[in-house]
Amino acid sequence: MSKNFRVGLIVPSSNTTMETEIPAMLHSRMQVEPEETFTFHSSRMRMMHVNPEELKKMDVDSDRCAVELSDARCDVLAYACLVAIMCQGPGYHEISEERLGKTTEENGGSAPIVSSAGALIEGLNTIGAKKVSIITPYMKPLTKTVIEYLNAAGIEVIDSISLEVADNLEVGRLNPMNLIEHADRLNIEGADAVVLSACVQMPSLPAIQEVQDRLGVPVLSAGVATVYKILKQLGLKTEVPNAGALLSGKY
């Protein structure tokens, strides 16, 4: 018997990638499990520039988004802005997930909450990655924030590349295949994994499997980790073709 799952997406207003890559992965998964289908439902938080001030202001809006999506009785909600969570301080994803979960419950539409920040940490822990190399689109101070957040979670960042694209719309227009060349510049000696995009706005899905095959270490992104956690929360098999080790079905 087929079953459809409603996936709610809490999205920054200038994000153009969350609603393309996550549906692409879950639609691709339907090749593996055709009886399990997905629909996608979004609510947006205002944010144009990736800086701490706008990110903090935007995070307040996530409560409204959770209420709106719980009106649709979604089966899971994904909060898709990694750095908005991480700039609030170590461990904030747990606070955010708990708060938003209570918000949906109070609205009569209780749903598990996935944050891309928490999902990335869980994904790295799942594959046993204690040391990683990462690529971000952020200015260097924000990349430092991401590194500190991962360090606080017990994950050491041994190398990072910051593409320093300040305009969030421009981040969404970056060519994901350029990440292959960027990944070649990463120091991966001793790395257990590569985070090809530590940002759900920077497109990376078309390059994930190719970079993994090229480097010989597990490769994931914030988006890949988010899909992994969505599937775990729904109690579904975590297999998506050509999306890297975490979504190989092994974990």
Side-chain angles (χ1 to χ4, degrees):
M1 184 179 294
S2 63
K3 184 170 182 181
N4 181 76
F5 298 92
R6 294 175 183 162
V7 179
L9 306 174
I10 300 175
V11 187
S13 59
S14 54
N15 186 296
T16 54
T17 304
M18 172 76 168
E19 293 148 314
T20 54
E21 287 200 342
I22 288 181
M25 282 183 264
L26 291 175
H27 284 145
S28 177
R29 185 187 179 278
M30 285 190 268
Q31 300 171 22
V32 180
E33 301 287 347
E35 298 302 310
E36 295 167 355
T37 62
F38 304 88
T39 57
F40 304 92
H41 315 275
S42 300
S43 182
R44 308 182 89 76
M45 310 168 285
R46 188 77 196 280
M47 189 273 282
M48 287 299 294
H49 301 99
V50 186
N51 59 57
E53 293 73 31
E54 283 203 34
L55 291 169
K56 288 179 181 179
K57 192 183 299 182
M58 184 194 75
D59 182 60
V60 174
D61 237 4
S62 64
D63 291 78
R64 172 187 55 78
C65 293
V67 170
E68 291 176 359
L69 292 170
S70 65
D71 285 345
R73 300 302 187 256
C74 293
D75 297 294
V76 62
L77 303 188
Y79 181 164
C81 188
L82 179 134
V83 76
I85 293 285
M86 290 189 173
C87 76
Q88 311 294 327
Y92 182 74
H93 66 277
E94 296 176 351
I95 296 169
S96 174
E97 290 168 7
E98 182 179 358
R99 188 186 77 241
L100 296 178
K102 287 180 178 177
T103 298
T104 64
E105 185 177 351
E106 289 167 0
N107 195 44
S110 181
I113 308 295
V114 173
S115 70
S116 53
L120 181 59
I121 290 169
E122 180 173 329
L124 291 170
N125 286 335
T126 296
I127 62 177
K130 297 298 183 185
K131 296 183 178 182
V132 300
S133 298
I134 70 173
I135 300 175
T136 84
Y138 310 130
M139 307 304 284
K140 288 181 180 178
L142 275 181
T143 298
K144 183 180 178 184
T145 296
V146 173
I147 292 170
E148 290 171 349
Y149 199 97
L150 292 174
N151 287 346
I155 298 163
E156 180 184 350
V157 179
I158 62 175
D159 193 26
S160 67
I161 292 174
S162 303
L163 300 184
E164 298 194 276
V165 181
D167 186 325
N168 203 40
L169 280 173
E170 290 304 313
V171 171
R173 295 186 179 108
L174 293 173
N175 183 346
M177 301 313 288
N178 289 343
L179 288 169
I180 298 169
E181 181 181 339
H182 295 316
D184 284 343
R185 296 190 288 117
L186 272 176
N187 172 22
I188 63 166
E189 186 174 352
D192 302 310
V194 167
V195 181
L196 197 61
S197 176
C199 172
V200 289
Q201 169 70 332
M202 184 166 73
S204 62
L205 181 58
I208 293 283
Q209 192 67 49
E210 184 168 342
V211 172
Q212 179 172 290
D213 294 343
R214 189 182 184 96
L215 298 183
V217 298
V219 174
L220 69 161
S221 68
V224 163
T226 300
V227 167
Y228 173 82
K229 187 62 184 288
I230 286 171
L231 292 171
K232 291 289 284 186
Q233 290 285 20
L234 295 174
L236 303 178
K237 186 176 181 181
T238 55
E239 183 176 358
V240 174
N242 299 310
L246 184 61
L247 289 174
S248 64
K250 176 181 177 182
Y251 300 101

